[in-house]
Amino acid sequence: KKKKKKMSTFKRLWENSIVDHEHTILNNENECKEFDKFFFLQMADTQFGMIKESVDWDIEIARSKIVVNKINELKPKFAIVCGDLTHMPPEQDIEIRNRQAEDFKITFDEVDKNIPLLCVCGNHDVGNSPNPESINIYKNDFGTDYYSFWINGCLGIVLNSNLYFDPSNAQELFNEQEEWLENLLETKVGNSDEDDDNDNNENNNDNKKPQHIFVFTHHPWFLKHCEESESEEELGRSVFVNRETGIEYGSISNTYFHIPTVRRTKFLNLCKKYSIHYLFAGHFHKNNIAYDDKYDINMITTSAIGKQLGKDDPGLRIVKVFSNSVEHDYIELENLPDSVILEPSSNMNGKL
C-alpha cells in the first residue's frame, strides 16, 4: 500500500490560539504578571522554494528541521518566524504555493506544543501589494495577520507590514490595522506621563504597563535611520553574487526592503509616544542592525533560514530579555548552542 503523506494539525492549533487579534495562550494572567527574565528565538525567511525557484524546497526543509530540533532543545519562551514562510506568491501558482505551505506546516508542527510558535506574514505570503483575497489565503493557513501577545510581563505586537509597504489594494484593511494598533497601545500602555503620576494608584496593578514592548514585522521599518528617504542614492543597491562561483547574478534597490517614509513616520511617532524601543524584522536576507537616537529605537533585521542574499550563513537570532536591557545574537545553524545562559553578557564570559 502507498504510504499516506502526513497531514499537519498546524492549522487547527494556530487558529485556536488567536481570538480577536489576541493570542489566547500568551494573554493569560500568568503572562501579564510581574516581569521575569526570559529568552526567545527570532527567525525569518524560511521561504520554502526560493533556493531552487520552487522546483523543490528540500534544502529549506532540511534547515527548518535543524531549527525545529534546536527550538525543542533550547526551550525558549516562544519562537517567531518573521515572514516569507513560503516562496511562491499565491497569485502566481496557487497549487505550488499550497504545497509549500503544507510542507512548512508539517515541518514546524514538530515544535514542542508547550513552546508557542508565532508567524508573521511576508510579501511572498500575501504579495507586495496585498489584497483581501491574498490576505485571506494566508489567514486560512496561518490565522490572523496581526495580533498581540503577553510574555513574562512584556507586550509583543505582530503587524502585517505588507500593508504599510503598499496599502493601495487593501486600504480598508490597512486602516483597520492602524486603528487596532492605536487602540491596543492606548489600552495596554496608555500615556507614559499620565501613568507615571498614577504609579501609586491602588488599581494600578490591574492595568500594569509592560516592561518592554516588541514589534515584529516582515519588512524593516528602516535600514540606516528613521528619516532615510526613498532614494537609491542614499540607500544603495543589494548586489547578488553566487557564493560558489563568485559571479554576480542580479541586484535590487534597497528601497525595496524598507517601509516608505509617509507610513513609517506615523508608526515611529507611535513608538516614541509609547516607549517602544525594539523592532524585529526579516525580508533583507542578511543581518542589519540600526539604531536611531531621535526615536531611541533599535531596528533589528535578521537574515534568512532559507536563501542568503549577503555574506551571512543561515541562522537565527537568540534574544535575551532582562529587566533593563535586551541582548541579541545571530547564530549560524551550524554553531547553535546546546543551551542558553540567561545572564547579561557582562557576566557570561562570551557564552550564550
Side-chain angles (χ1 to χ4, degrees), residues 61-74:
I61 289 176
R63 291 178 183 174
S64 295
K65 286 182 177 179
I66 293 172
V67 169
V68 168
N69 289 335
K70 190 54 66 172
I71 291 172
N72 292 340
E73 180 182 359
L74 293 177

Side-chain angles (χ1 to χ4, degrees), residues 69-318:
N69 289 335
K70 190 54 66 172
I71 291 172
N72 292 340
E73 180 182 359
L74 293 177
K75 301 189 185 319
K77 195 67 177 168
F78 69 93
I80 187 165
V81 185
C82 282
D84 279 2
L85 314 181
T86 59
H87 181 59
M88 180 61 72
E91 69 274 12
Q92 289 188 21
D93 192 320
I94 190 63
E95 182 181 352
I96 291 177
R97 179 267 170 202
N98 287 345
R99 287 168 48 206
Q100 291 173 348
E102 184 62 24
D103 281 343
F104 176 93
K105 292 187 287 183
I106 289 171
T107 302
F108 279 90
D109 201 40
E110 297 301 319
V111 171
D112 186 325
K113 300 303 183 289
N114 292 314
I115 303 172
L117 175 69
L118 311 182
C119 292
V120 182
C121 65
N123 59 302
H124 280 263
D125 301 313
V126 299
N128 285 315
S129 299
N131 56 59
E133 181 181 2
S134 67
I135 292 174
N136 279 334
I137 289 172
Y138 174 86
K139 290 166 70 174
N140 285 337
D141 274 311
F142 302 108
T144 189
D145 54 325
Y146 60 94
Y147 54 94
S148 68
F149 63 95
W150 284 89
I151 195 82
N152 277 29
C154 296
L155 178 63
I157 301 172
V158 169
L159 294 176
N160 182 348
S161 62
N162 308 280
L163 291 171
Y164 284 90
F165 183 76
D166 182 3
S168 60
N169 291 321
Q171 189 65 50
E172 184 175 344
L173 296 179
F174 171 77
N175 294 341
E176 288 175 2
Q177 180 178 236
E178 263 206 327
E179 182 180 359
W180 171 85
L181 177 61
E182 292 174 6
N183 289 338
L184 173 75
L185 291 171
E186 178 62 33
T187 301
K188 303 297 184 183
V189 185
N191 182 278
S192 297
D193 293 335
E194 290 178 4
D195 286 351
D196 288 343
D197 293 336
N198 294 326
D199 278 345
N200 295 321
N201 188 298
E202 62 180 2
N203 295 321
N204 197 46
N205 288 333
D206 294 335
N207 191 26
K208 184 174 177 59
K209 290 173 59 177
Q211 186 74 19
H212 299 286
I213 304 173
F214 304 115
V215 177
F216 301 93
T217 56
H218 180 58
H219 296 74
W221 295 92
F222 57 93
L223 297 176
K224 293 184 176 181
H225 59 87
C226 288
E227 296 180 343
E228 65 193 26
S229 68
E230 277 63 69
S231 165
E232 185 178 312
E233 183 178 355
E234 178 182 3
L235 293 182
R237 295 182 69 83
S238 286
V239 178
F240 309 141
V241 178
N242 186 302
R243 296 172 71 166
E244 294 181 357
T245 65
I247 298 174
E248 180 181 329
Y249 64 89
S251 67
I252 190 171
S253 173
N254 284 335
T255 59
Y256 169 77
F257 293 105
H258 74 172
I259 299 297
T261 306
V262 64
R263 288 176 292 279
R264 180 198 322 145
T265 300
K266 183 176 181 180
F267 169 79
L268 292 173
N269 285 333
L270 278 178
C271 292
K272 188 172 185 178
K273 177 179 180 180
Y274 292 106
S275 299
I276 299 173
H277 303 296
Y278 300 98
L279 312 175
F280 292 88
H283 188 45
F284 203 30
H285 287 253
K286 46 190 171 183
N287 289 302
N288 189 74
I289 310 298
Y291 172 76
D292 190 285
D293 56 3
K294 176 180 178 180
Y295 290 88
D296 189 17
I297 201 161
N298 299 271
M299 183 67 253
I300 302 154
T301 303
T302 295
S303 195
I305 296 292
K307 186 171 183 175
Q308 304 297 304
L309 296 180
K311 296 181 180 180
D312 299 295
D313 290 321
L316 55 78
R317 192 170 300 278
I318 299 177

